[in-house]
Amino acid sequence: MELLSTSARDLERAAEAIRDGLLVAIPTETVYGLGADAWNRVALARVFEAKRRPSFDPLIVHVSEPDGASEVADLSVPYAKTLSERFWPGPLTMVLPKLDRVPDLATSGLPTVAVRCPANAVAREIIRRSGVPVAAPSANPFGYLSPTRAEHVVAQLGGRVDFIVDGGRCPVGVESTVLDLSSEPPLVLRPGGLPVELIAEVVPGVQVFDRATTSPRAPGQLPSHYAPSRPLYLVPFGGVSGIEPRGRAAAICFGAESARAAERHGHWSRIVDLSPSRDAVEAAAALFDALHELDAAGFDELWAERLPDLGLGLAVNDRLYKASVK
Ligand code: TXA
Ligand code: MG
């Protein structure tokens, strides 16, 4: 593995590597992705192998310009054009009818393909220079936390990728919102960096996948995703201070008030406040960083409080739920 910078020369090397069928971890505004040429079946197979990902889990295909999506998908379905104009580049992935030329390996044999145009200049420049759409799952081993810094990728996948482009910390910090436009009404399969409230302004009848009443459609909806190696318990908003943890434990709080209550409580070896001012955007940006750090520190237990289910709170709660002990 070789670490690359964001210099023009290194971006050209990253693009060339993708053209050559190699695996390149690239920064996006959400999380780091493990990129490969979406037309190259061998490269796609290597992505699954590197992630130890079951091949039934389809990949997101990334394009450098919103218009590039028409190379892989049919954008004539209702809302697709309007959504792409309004939210791309950005943290929205649209599931659309796929064009025949997209390899089945990218879509796990589904008739649909997930597409997104990321809002990160480095990612877009690499994709543009490579001249191909870039299939990229999050750059973590299957089932583990998504990386929000190049160091996370080095630690988790360093031995299994060819290049890692260090573009610093990912500002959004949670994965994109996955919206299935092939179903009627459109369905949010995964809440993420684009708040569902904003999608609803364009798609009035949009539904949000409900784990309690629906069986998983996308494999990313399996509940045990994004798990740290330490047990994480999820409690309602404001609930951390009522907990009696065992051993050396860490509390993950949302807001200065909760953090102070946890402090007074005295049982915690470590308290992390995802956003003292209770800003869900700030909490999303801090989430995976905090989980990586706490996981590495080897606490016996992690306890996290839910955020209110508004804006990016929905995405943070989804990730915390998936990381938690059921
Ligand atoms: O922010 C992101 O979306 C990041 C960055 C790298 O772009 N990527 C990412 O990819 O999170 P991944 O592979 O970790 O998650 C993709 C999700 C999975 O839950 C997958 O099941 C779903 O998208 N997905 C992909 N193609 C699909 C399809 N055709 N139908 C339904 N779900 C699909
Ligand atoms: Mg992932």
Side-chain angles (χ1 to χ4, degrees), residues 7-71:
S7 70
R9 188 171 159 272
D10 276 6
L11 297 190
E12 185 53 39
R13 288 186 67 199
E16 196 179 284
I18 288 172
R19 274 199 305 275
D20 288 345
L22 300 180
L23 302 190
V24 182
I26 57 177
T28 81
E29 80 279 29
T30 56
V31 301
Y32 276 76
L34 181 56
D37 175 358
W39 302 136
N40 182 331
R41 291 170 175 76
V42 176
L44 294 174
R46 289 192 62 216
V47 169
F48 289 111
E49 183 193 52
K51 274 189 71 105
R52 308 264 191 269
R53 178 177 215 174
S55 53
F56 56 72
D57 201 356
L59 306 175
I60 296 175
V61 176
H62 296 72
V63 292
S64 62
E65 299 299 327
D67 288 348
S70 56
E71 270 191 74

Short mmCIF file of all heavy atoms in Angstrom, two decimals, residues 7-71:
data_model
loop_
_atom_site.label_atom_id
_atom_site.label_comp_id
_atom_site.label_asym_id
_atom_site.label_seq_id
_atom_site.Cartn_x
_atom_site.Cartn_y
_atom_site.Cartn_z
N SER A 7 -1.88 16.25 -4.13
CA SER A 7 -1.21 17.01 -5.20
C SER A 7 -1.72 16.51 -6.55
O SER A 7 -2.16 15.37 -6.67
CB SER A 7 0.31 16.82 -5.13
OG SER A 7 0.65 15.49 -5.49
N ALA A 8 -1.63 17.38 -7.56
CA ALA A 8 -2.12 17.01 -8.90
C ALA A 8 -1.43 15.73 -9.38
O ALA A 8 -2.04 14.86 -9.98
CB ALA A 8 -1.87 18.16 -9.87
N ARG A 9 -0.14 15.62 -9.07
CA ARG A 9 0.63 14.45 -9.52
C ARG A 9 0.08 13.17 -8.88
O ARG A 9 -0.11 12.15 -9.54
CB ARG A 9 2.09 14.66 -9.15
CG ARG A 9 3.00 13.61 -9.74
CD ARG A 9 4.47 13.95 -9.55
NE ARG A 9 5.23 12.71 -9.66
CZ ARG A 9 5.48 11.91 -8.63
NH1 ARG A 9 5.04 12.23 -7.42
NH2 ARG A 9 6.16 10.79 -8.82
N ASP A 10 -0.21 13.26 -7.56
CA ASP A 10 -0.71 12.07 -6.86
C ASP A 10 -2.14 11.72 -7.31
O ASP A 10 -2.49 10.54 -7.42
CB ASP A 10 -0.67 12.27 -5.34
CG ASP A 10 0.72 11.94 -4.78
OD1 ASP A 10 1.62 11.66 -5.60
OD2 ASP A 10 0.89 11.93 -3.54
N LEU A 11 -2.96 12.75 -7.57
CA LEU A 11 -4.32 12.45 -8.05
C LEU A 11 -4.26 11.76 -9.40
O LEU A 11 -5.06 10.86 -9.69
CB LEU A 11 -5.16 13.73 -8.12
CG LEU A 11 -5.40 14.44 -6.77
CD1 LEU A 11 -6.45 15.54 -6.94
CD2 LEU A 11 -5.84 13.46 -5.69
N GLU A 12 -3.30 12.16 -10.23
CA GLU A 12 -3.14 11.49 -11.53
C GLU A 12 -2.72 10.03 -11.32
O GLU A 12 -3.21 9.13 -12.00
CB GLU A 12 -2.10 12.25 -12.37
CG GLU A 12 -1.93 11.72 -13.79
CD GLU A 12 -3.24 11.62 -14.58
OE1 GLU A 12 -4.10 12.53 -14.44
OE2 GLU A 12 -3.41 10.62 -15.33
N ARG A 13 -1.84 9.80 -10.35
CA ARG A 13 -1.42 8.41 -10.07
C ARG A 13 -2.61 7.59 -9.58
O ARG A 13 -2.78 6.43 -9.94
CB ARG A 13 -0.31 8.39 -9.01
CG ARG A 13 1.01 8.89 -9.54
CD ARG A 13 2.10 8.72 -8.52
NE ARG A 13 2.41 7.31 -8.27
CZ ARG A 13 3.04 6.86 -7.19
NH1 ARG A 13 3.41 7.70 -6.25
NH2 ARG A 13 3.29 5.59 -7.05
N ALA A 14 -3.44 8.20 -8.73
CA ALA A 14 -4.62 7.48 -8.22
C ALA A 14 -5.56 7.13 -9.37
O ALA A 14 -6.07 6.00 -9.46
CB ALA A 14 -5.35 8.34 -7.18
N ALA A 15 -5.77 8.09 -10.27
CA ALA A 15 -6.66 7.86 -11.41
C ALA A 15 -6.11 6.76 -12.32
O ALA A 15 -6.85 5.89 -12.79
CB ALA A 15 -6.83 9.17 -12.20
N GLU A 16 -4.81 6.81 -12.53
CA GLU A 16 -4.16 5.82 -13.38
C GLU A 16 -4.30 4.42 -12.75
O GLU A 16 -4.57 3.44 -13.44
CB GLU A 16 -2.68 6.20 -13.46
CG GLU A 16 -1.89 5.57 -14.54
CD GLU A 16 -0.45 6.11 -14.46
OE1 GLU A 16 -0.25 7.27 -14.89
OE2 GLU A 16 0.43 5.41 -13.96
N ALA A 17 -4.15 4.36 -11.43
CA ALA A 17 -4.27 3.08 -10.73
C ALA A 17 -5.69 2.51 -10.92
O ALA A 17 -5.87 1.31 -11.15
CB ALA A 17 -3.94 3.25 -9.25
N ILE A 18 -6.69 3.38 -10.83
CA ILE A 18 -8.07 2.91 -11.04
C ILE A 18 -8.24 2.39 -12.46
O ILE A 18 -8.79 1.31 -12.67
CB ILE A 18 -9.08 4.04 -10.71
CG1 ILE A 18 -9.13 4.25 -9.20
CG2 ILE A 18 -10.48 3.70 -11.26
CD1 ILE A 18 -9.93 5.44 -8.74
N ARG A 19 -7.71 3.14 -13.42
CA ARG A 19 -7.76 2.66 -14.82
C ARG A 19 -7.07 1.31 -15.00
O ARG A 19 -7.47 0.50 -15.81
CB ARG A 19 -7.07 3.68 -15.75
CG ARG A 19 -7.95 4.79 -16.23
CD ARG A 19 -7.35 5.46 -17.48
NE ARG A 19 -5.98 5.95 -17.28
CZ ARG A 19 -5.68 7.14 -16.76
NH1 ARG A 19 -6.62 7.96 -16.37
NH2 ARG A 19 -4.42 7.51 -16.63
N ASP A 20 -6.00 1.09 -14.19
CA ASP A 20 -5.25 -0.17 -14.28
C ASP A 20 -5.91 -1.31 -13.50
O ASP A 20 -5.32 -2.38 -13.35
CB ASP A 20 -3.82 0.03 -13.75
CG ASP A 20 -2.98 0.86 -14.71
OD1 ASP A 20 -3.40 1.03 -15.87
OD2 ASP A 20 -1.92 1.36 -14.27
N GLY A 21 -7.08 -1.06 -12.91
CA GLY A 21 -7.77 -2.14 -12.19
C GLY A 21 -7.32 -2.31 -10.75
O GLY A 21 -7.62 -3.33 -10.13
N LEU A 22 -6.62 -1.31 -10.21
CA LEU A 22 -6.17 -1.41 -8.82
C LEU A 22 -7.21 -0.81 -7.87
O LEU A 22 -8.17 -0.17 -8.30
CB LEU A 22 -4.82 -0.69 -8.66
CG LEU A 22 -3.69 -1.24 -9.54
CD1 LEU A 22 -2.40 -0.45 -9.32
CD2 LEU A 22 -3.46 -2.73 -9.26
N LEU A 23 -7.00 -1.02 -6.57
CA LEU A 23 -7.92 -0.51 -5.55
C LEU A 23 -7.34 0.75 -4.91
O LEU A 23 -6.22 0.74 -4.42
CB LEU A 23 -8.14 -1.55 -4.44
CG LEU A 23 -8.70 -2.91 -4.86
CD1 LEU A 23 -9.07 -3.71 -3.61
CD2 LEU A 23 -9.90 -2.76 -5.78
N VAL A 24 -8.13 1.82 -4.91
CA VAL A 24 -7.67 3.10 -4.38
C VAL A 24 -8.69 3.62 -3.37
O VAL A 24 -9.85 3.84 -3.72
CB VAL A 24 -7.49 4.14 -5.50
CG1 VAL A 24 -6.95 5.44 -4.94
CG2 VAL A 24 -6.57 3.61 -6.60
N ALA A 25 -8.26 3.80 -2.14
CA ALA A 25 -9.16 4.40 -1.14
C ALA A 25 -9.16 5.90 -1.34
O ALA A 25 -8.10 6.52 -1.40
CB ALA A 25 -8.70 4.04 0.27
N ILE A 26 -10.36 6.47 -1.48
CA ILE A 26 -10.47 7.90 -1.76
C ILE A 26 -11.37 8.60 -0.74
O ILE A 26 -12.33 8.03 -0.26
CB ILE A 26 -11.02 8.16 -3.19
CG1 ILE A 26 -12.38 7.49 -3.38
CG2 ILE A 26 -10.06 7.63 -4.25
CD1 ILE A 26 -13.00 7.77 -4.75
N PRO A 27 -11.01 9.86 -0.41
CA PRO A 27 -11.85 10.60 0.52
C PRO A 27 -13.12 11.06 -0.19
O PRO A 27 -13.07 11.40 -1.37
CB PRO A 27 -10.99 11.80 0.89
CG PRO A 27 -10.10 12.03 -0.30
CD PRO A 27 -9.86 10.65 -0.90
N THR A 28 -14.24 11.05 0.51
CA THR A 28 -15.44 11.73 0.00
C THR A 28 -15.93 12.63 1.15
O THR A 28 -15.36 12.61 2.24
CB THR A 28 -16.58 10.78 -0.43
OG1 THR A 28 -17.32 10.36 0.72
CG2 THR A 28 -16.06 9.59 -1.22
N GLU A 29 -16.98 13.39 0.90
CA GLU A 29 -17.48 14.26 1.98
C GLU A 29 -18.15 13.45 3.09
O GLU A 29 -18.29 13.94 4.20
CB GLU A 29 -18.45 15.31 1.41
CG GLU A 29 -19.87 14.83 1.15
CD GLU A 29 -20.03 14.07 -0.17
OE1 GLU A 29 -19.05 13.43 -0.62
OE2 GLU A 29 -21.13 14.11 -0.75
N THR A 30 -18.52 12.20 2.81
CA THR A 30 -19.22 11.39 3.83
C THR A 30 -18.23 10.54 4.60
O THR A 30 -17.99 10.78 5.78
CB THR A 30 -20.28 10.50 3.16
OG1 THR A 30 -19.65 9.68 2.16
CG2 THR A 30 -21.39 11.32 2.55
N VAL A 31 -17.67 9.53 3.94
CA VAL A 31 -16.66 8.64 4.54
C VAL A 31 -15.69 8.27 3.42
O VAL A 31 -15.93 8.59 2.26
CB VAL A 31 -17.31 7.34 5.12
CG1 VAL A 31 -18.34 7.68 6.20
CG2 VAL A 31 -17.96 6.49 4.02
N TYR A 32 -14.58 7.61 3.77
CA TYR A 32 -13.65 7.14 2.73
C TYR A 32 -14.26 5.97 1.98
O TYR A 32 -14.92 5.11 2.59
CB TYR A 32 -12.30 6.72 3.34
CG TYR A 32 -11.36 7.89 3.54
CD1 TYR A 32 -11.56 8.79 4.59
CD2 TYR A 32 -10.29 8.11 2.67
CE1 TYR A 32 -10.72 9.87 4.76
CE2 TYR A 32 -9.44 9.19 2.85
CZ TYR A 32 -9.65 10.07 3.88
OH TYR A 32 -8.83 11.15 4.04
N GLY A 33 -14.05 5.94 0.67
CA GLY A 33 -14.54 4.85 -0.15
C GLY A 33 -13.38 4.02 -0.69
O GLY A 33 -12.26 4.52 -0.84
N LEU A 34 -13.67 2.75 -0.98
CA LEU A 34 -12.67 1.87 -1.57
C LEU A 34 -12.98 1.77 -3.06
O LEU A 34 -13.87 1.03 -3.47
CB LEU A 34 -12.75 0.49 -0.90
CG LEU A 34 -11.78 -0.58 -1.36
CD1 LEU A 34 -10.35 -0.09 -1.24
CD2 LEU A 34 -11.97 -1.84 -0.53
N GLY A 35 -12.27 2.56 -3.87
CA GLY A 35 -12.66 2.76 -5.25
C GLY A 35 -12.03 1.79 -6.24
O GLY A 35 -10.87 1.40 -6.10
N ALA A 36 -12.83 1.42 -7.24
CA ALA A 36 -12.34 0.59 -8.35
C ALA A 36 -13.13 0.94 -9.60
O ALA A 36 -14.25 1.46 -9.51
CB ALA A 36 -12.53 -0.89 -8.01
N ASP A 37 -12.55 0.66 -10.75
CA ASP A 37 -13.20 0.90 -12.04
C ASP A 37 -14.49 0.08 -12.12
O ASP A 37 -14.47 -1.15 -12.08
CB ASP A 37 -12.20 0.47 -13.14
CG ASP A 37 -12.80 0.55 -14.54
OD1 ASP A 37 -13.99 0.91 -14.68
OD2 ASP A 37 -12.06 0.27 -15.49
N ALA A 38 -15.62 0.77 -12.23
CA ALA A 38 -16.92 0.08 -12.22
C ALA A 38 -17.12 -0.80 -13.45
O ALA A 38 -17.99 -1.68 -13.44
CB ALA A 38 -18.07 1.09 -12.13
N TRP A 39 -16.33 -0.61 -14.52
CA TRP A 39 -16.48 -1.46 -15.72
C TRP A 39 -15.64 -2.74 -15.61
O TRP A 39 -15.77 -3.62 -16.44
CB TRP A 39 -16.03 -0.72 -16.99
CG TRP A 39 -16.73 0.57 -17.32
CD1 TRP A 39 -16.13 1.72 -17.74
CD2 TRP A 39 -18.14 0.84 -17.33
NE1 TRP A 39 -17.07 2.69 -17.99
CE2 TRP A 39 -18.31 2.17 -17.74
CE3 TRP A 39 -19.28 0.10 -17.00
CZ2 TRP A 39 -19.56 2.78 -17.85
CZ3 TRP A 39 -20.52 0.70 -17.11
CH2 TRP A 39 -20.66 2.02 -17.53
N ASN A 40 -14.73 -2.77 -14.64
CA ASN A 40 -13.73 -3.84 -14.58
C ASN A 40 -14.12 -4.91 -13.56
O ASN A 40 -14.02 -4.71 -12.34
CB ASN A 40 -12.37 -3.20 -14.21
CG ASN A 40 -11.24 -4.21 -14.17
OD1 ASN A 40 -11.45 -5.40 -13.88
ND2 ASN A 40 -10.04 -3.75 -14.45
N ARG A 41 -14.56 -6.07 -14.08
CA ARG A 41 -15.08 -7.12 -13.18
C ARG A 41 -14.04 -7.66 -12.21
O ARG A 41 -14.36 -7.98 -11.06
CB ARG A 41 -15.66 -8.27 -14.00
CG ARG A 41 -16.94 -7.87 -14.71
CD ARG A 41 -17.39 -8.93 -15.71
NE ARG A 41 -18.68 -8.56 -16.28
CZ ARG A 41 -18.85 -7.63 -17.21
NH1 ARG A 41 -17.80 -6.94 -17.66
NH2 ARG A 41 -20.04 -7.35 -17.66
N VAL A 42 -12.80 -7.76 -12.67
CA VAL A 42 -11.75 -8.28 -11.78
C VAL A 42 -11.51 -7.30 -10.63
O VAL A 42 -11.41 -7.68 -9.46
CB VAL A 42 -10.45 -8.54 -12.56
CG1 VAL A 42 -9.33 -8.98 -11.62
CG2 VAL A 42 -10.69 -9.58 -13.65
N ALA A 43 -11.48 -6.01 -10.97
CA ALA A 43 -11.28 -4.99 -9.94
C ALA A 43 -12.44 -5.02 -8.94
O ALA A 43 -12.23 -4.91 -7.72
CB ALA A 43 -11.15 -3.61 -10.58
N LEU A 44 -13.67 -5.20 -9.44
CA LEU A 44 -14.84 -5.24 -8.55
C LEU A 44 -14.73 -6.44 -7.61
O LEU A 44 -15.00 -6.34 -6.40
CB LEU A 44 -16.14 -5.33 -9.35
CG LEU A 44 -16.48 -4.11 -10.21
CD1 LEU A 44 -17.71 -4.39 -11.07
CD2 LEU A 44 -16.71 -2.89 -9.33
N ALA A 45 -14.30 -7.57 -8.16
CA ALA A 45 -14.15 -8.77 -7.32
C ALA A 45 -13.12 -8.53 -6.23
O ALA A 45 -13.28 -8.97 -5.09
CB ALA A 45 -13.76 -9.96 -8.18
N ARG A 46 -12.07 -7.78 -6.57
CA ARG A 46 -11.04 -7.49 -5.56
C ARG A 46 -11.58 -6.60 -4.44
O ARG A 46 -11.13 -6.67 -3.31
CB ARG A 46 -9.83 -6.83 -6.22
CG ARG A 46 -9.01 -7.81 -7.08
CD ARG A 46 -7.67 -7.22 -7.46
NE ARG A 46 -6.86 -6.95 -6.27
CZ ARG A 46 -6.03 -5.91 -6.15
NH1 ARG A 46 -5.91 -5.04 -7.12
NH2 ARG A 46 -5.33 -5.75 -5.04
N VAL A 47 -12.56 -5.74 -4.77
CA VAL A 47 -13.16 -4.90 -3.73
C VAL A 47 -13.85 -5.79 -2.69
O VAL A 47 -13.67 -5.62 -1.48
CB VAL A 47 -14.19 -3.92 -4.33
CG1 VAL A 47 -15.01 -3.25 -3.23
CG2 VAL A 47 -13.50 -2.88 -5.19
N PHE A 48 -14.62 -6.75 -3.18
CA PHE A 48 -15.32 -7.64 -2.25
C PHE A 48 -14.33 -8.44 -1.42
O PHE A 48 -14.51 -8.63 -0.22
CB PHE A 48 -16.23 -8.61 -3.02
CG PHE A 48 -17.43 -7.93 -3.60
CD1 PHE A 48 -17.57 -7.77 -4.97
CD2 PHE A 48 -18.42 -7.43 -2.77
CE1 PHE A 48 -18.67 -7.14 -5.51
CE2 PHE A 48 -19.53 -6.79 -3.31
CZ PHE A 48 -19.65 -6.64 -4.68
N GLU A 49 -13.26 -8.88 -2.08
CA GLU A 49 -12.26 -9.68 -1.38
C GLU A 49 -11.57 -8.84 -0.30
O GLU A 49 -11.40 -9.28 0.83
CB GLU A 49 -11.24 -10.19 -2.40
CG GLU A 49 -10.19 -11.08 -1.79
CD GLU A 49 -9.05 -11.31 -2.76
OE1 GLU A 49 -8.50 -10.31 -3.29
OE2 GLU A 49 -8.71 -12.46 -3.00
N ALA A 50 -11.19 -7.60 -0.65
CA ALA A 50 -10.49 -6.74 0.31
C ALA A 50 -11.36 -6.45 1.52
O ALA A 50 -10.89 -6.41 2.65
CB ALA A 50 -10.07 -5.44 -0.37
N LYS A 51 -12.64 -6.24 1.27
CA LYS A 51 -13.57 -5.92 2.37
C LYS A 51 -14.04 -7.16 3.12
O LYS A 51 -14.69 -7.05 4.15
CB LYS A 51 -14.82 -5.22 1.82
CG LYS A 51 -14.69 -3.73 1.67
CD LYS A 51 -16.03 -3.11 1.34
CE LYS A 51 -17.02 -3.12 2.48
NZ LYS A 51 -17.23 -1.84 3.13
N ARG A 52 -13.74 -8.34 2.54
CA ARG A 52 -14.32 -9.59 3.06
C ARG A 52 -15.84 -9.43 3.10
O ARG A 52 -16.49 -9.76 4.08
CB ARG A 52 -13.81 -9.91 4.47
CG ARG A 52 -12.31 -9.90 4.61
CD ARG A 52 -11.76 -11.30 4.48
NE ARG A 52 -10.37 -11.36 4.86
CZ ARG A 52 -9.35 -11.19 4.00
NH1 ARG A 52 -9.59 -10.95 2.73
NH2 ARG A 52 -8.11 -11.29 4.42
N ARG A 53 -16.35 -8.84 2.00
CA ARG A 53 -17.77 -8.51 1.95
C ARG A 53 -18.52 -9.60 1.20
O ARG A 53 -18.08 -10.01 0.13
CB ARG A 53 -17.92 -7.19 1.21
CG ARG A 53 -19.35 -6.75 1.03
CD ARG A 53 -19.38 -5.41 0.34
NE ARG A 53 -20.48 -4.63 0.85
CZ ARG A 53 -20.71 -3.37 0.54
NH1 ARG A 53 -19.91 -2.71 -0.23
NH2 ARG A 53 -21.75 -2.75 1.03
N PRO A 54 -19.66 -10.06 1.72
CA PRO A 54 -20.42 -11.05 0.97
C PRO A 54 -20.82 -10.45 -0.38
O PRO A 54 -21.20 -9.29 -0.44
CB PRO A 54 -21.67 -11.30 1.82
CG PRO A 54 -21.58 -10.42 3.00
CD PRO A 54 -20.34 -9.61 2.94
N SER A 55 -20.73 -11.23 -1.44
CA SER A 55 -20.90 -10.62 -2.75
C SER A 55 -22.34 -10.22 -3.03
O SER A 55 -22.65 -9.64 -4.05
CB SER A 55 -20.38 -11.55 -3.85
OG SER A 55 -21.00 -12.80 -3.70
N PHE A 56 -23.25 -10.50 -2.10
CA PHE A 56 -24.63 -10.08 -2.33
C PHE A 56 -24.85 -8.61 -2.02
O PHE A 56 -25.91 -8.06 -2.24
CB PHE A 56 -25.64 -10.93 -1.53
CG PHE A 56 -25.40 -10.96 -0.05
CD1 PHE A 56 -25.66 -9.86 0.73
CD2 PHE A 56 -24.91 -12.11 0.56
CE1 PHE A 56 -25.45 -9.87 2.10
CE2 PHE A 56 -24.69 -12.13 1.94
CZ PHE A 56 -24.97 -11.02 2.71
N ASP A 57 -23.84 -7.94 -1.46
CA ASP A 57 -24.05 -6.54 -1.09
C ASP A 57 -23.59 -5.61 -2.20
O ASP A 57 -22.40 -5.49 -2.46
CB ASP A 57 -23.31 -6.25 0.22
CG ASP A 57 -23.88 -5.04 0.92
OD1 ASP A 57 -24.80 -4.41 0.36
OD2 ASP A 57 -23.41 -4.73 2.02
N PRO A 58 -24.53 -4.95 -2.89
CA PRO A 58 -24.15 -4.16 -4.07
C PRO A 58 -23.40 -2.88 -3.71
O PRO A 58 -23.48 -2.37 -2.59
CB PRO A 58 -25.51 -3.83 -4.69
CG PRO A 58 -26.49 -3.91 -3.58
CD PRO A 58 -25.97 -4.92 -2.61
N LEU A 59 -22.66 -2.36 -4.69
CA LEU A 59 -21.79 -1.20 -4.49
C LEU A 59 -22.44 0.08 -5.00
O LEU A 59 -23.34 0.03 -5.84
CB LEU A 59 -20.48 -1.41 -5.25
CG LEU A 59 -19.75 -2.72 -4.95
CD1 LEU A 59 -18.53 -2.85 -5.88
CD2 LEU A 59 -19.32 -2.76 -3.49
N ILE A 60 -21.96 1.22 -4.51
CA ILE A 60 -22.40 2.50 -5.06
C ILE A 60 -21.43 2.90 -6.17
O ILE A 60 -20.21 2.85 -5.99
CB ILE A 60 -22.43 3.59 -3.96
CG1 ILE A 60 -23.47 3.24 -2.90
CG2 ILE A 60 -22.71 4.97 -4.58
CD1 ILE A 60 -23.49 4.18 -1.71
N VAL A 61 -21.98 3.30 -7.31
CA VAL A 61 -21.15 3.77 -8.42
C VAL A 61 -21.08 5.30 -8.35
O VAL A 61 -22.11 5.97 -8.29
CB VAL A 61 -21.74 3.30 -9.76
CG1 VAL A 61 -20.92 3.87 -10.92
CG2 VAL A 61 -21.76 1.77 -9.83
N HIS A 62 -19.84 5.81 -8.33
CA HIS A 62 -19.62 7.25 -8.18
C HIS A 62 -19.24 7.88 -9.51
O HIS A 62 -18.42 7.33 -10.24
CB HIS A 62 -18.50 7.51 -7.17
CG HIS A 62 -18.82 7.04 -5.78
ND1 HIS A 62 -18.87 5.70 -5.45
CD2 HIS A 62 -19.11 7.71 -4.64
CE1 HIS A 62 -19.19 5.57 -4.17
NE2 HIS A 62 -19.33 6.77 -3.64
N VAL A 63 -19.83 9.05 -9.77
CA VAL A 63 -19.53 9.77 -11.01
C VAL A 63 -19.03 11.18 -10.66
O VAL A 63 -19.35 11.70 -9.58
CB VAL A 63 -20.78 9.84 -11.92
CG1 VAL A 63 -21.12 8.45 -12.44
CG2 VAL A 63 -21.98 10.42 -11.18
N SER A 64 -18.25 11.78 -11.57
CA SER A 64 -17.62 13.07 -11.24
C SER A 64 -18.55 14.24 -11.48
O SER A 64 -18.38 15.30 -10.89
CB SER A 64 -16.33 13.25 -12.02
OG SER A 64 -16.60 13.28 -13.41
N GLU A 65 -19.54 14.05 -12.37
CA GLU A 65 -20.50 15.11 -12.67
C GLU A 65 -21.90 14.53 -12.59
O GLU A 65 -22.10 13.36 -12.95
CB GLU A 65 -20.30 15.61 -14.12
CG GLU A 65 -18.95 16.21 -14.40
CD GLU A 65 -18.68 17.43 -13.54
OE1 GLU A 65 -19.64 18.18 -13.23
OE2 GLU A 65 -17.51 17.63 -13.17
N PRO A 66 -22.89 15.31 -12.15
CA PRO A 66 -24.26 14.78 -12.10
C PRO A 66 -24.69 14.13 -13.41
O PRO A 66 -25.30 13.06 -13.39
CB PRO A 66 -25.08 16.03 -11.78
CG PRO A 66 -24.15 16.90 -10.99
CD PRO A 66 -22.79 16.66 -11.59
N ASP A 67 -24.32 14.72 -14.54
CA ASP A 67 -24.73 14.16 -15.84
C ASP A 67 -24.16 12.78 -16.10
O ASP A 67 -24.72 12.00 -16.88
CB ASP A 67 -24.28 15.08 -16.99
CG ASP A 67 -25.11 16.35 -17.03
OD1 ASP A 67 -26.15 16.37 -16.33
OD2 ASP A 67 -24.72 17.28 -17.75
N GLY A 68 -23.03 12.49 -15.47
CA GLY A 68 -22.37 11.20 -15.69
C GLY A 68 -23.21 10.01 -15.25
O GLY A 68 -22.96 8.88 -15.68
N ALA A 69 -24.22 10.26 -14.41
CA ALA A 69 -25.06 9.16 -13.92
C ALA A 69 -25.76 8.44 -15.06
O ALA A 69 -26.05 7.24 -14.97
CB ALA A 69 -26.08 9.69 -12.91
N SER A 70 -26.02 9.17 -16.15
CA SER A 70 -26.74 8.55 -17.26
C SER A 70 -25.90 7.51 -18.00
O SER A 70 -26.39 6.79 -18.84
CB SER A 70 -27.25 9.62 -18.23
OG SER A 70 -26.17 10.39 -18.66
N GLU A 71 -24.61 7.42 -17.66
CA GLU A 71 -23.76 6.36 -18.22
C GLU A 71 -24.07 5.00 -17.59
O GLU A 71 -23.70 3.97 -18.14
CB GLU A 71 -22.29 6.66 -17.91
CG GLU A 71 -21.58 7.47 -18.94
CD GLU A 71 -20.08 7.45 -18.65
OE1 GLU A 71 -19.43 6.42 -18.88
OE2 GLU A 71 -19.59 8.46 -18.14
#
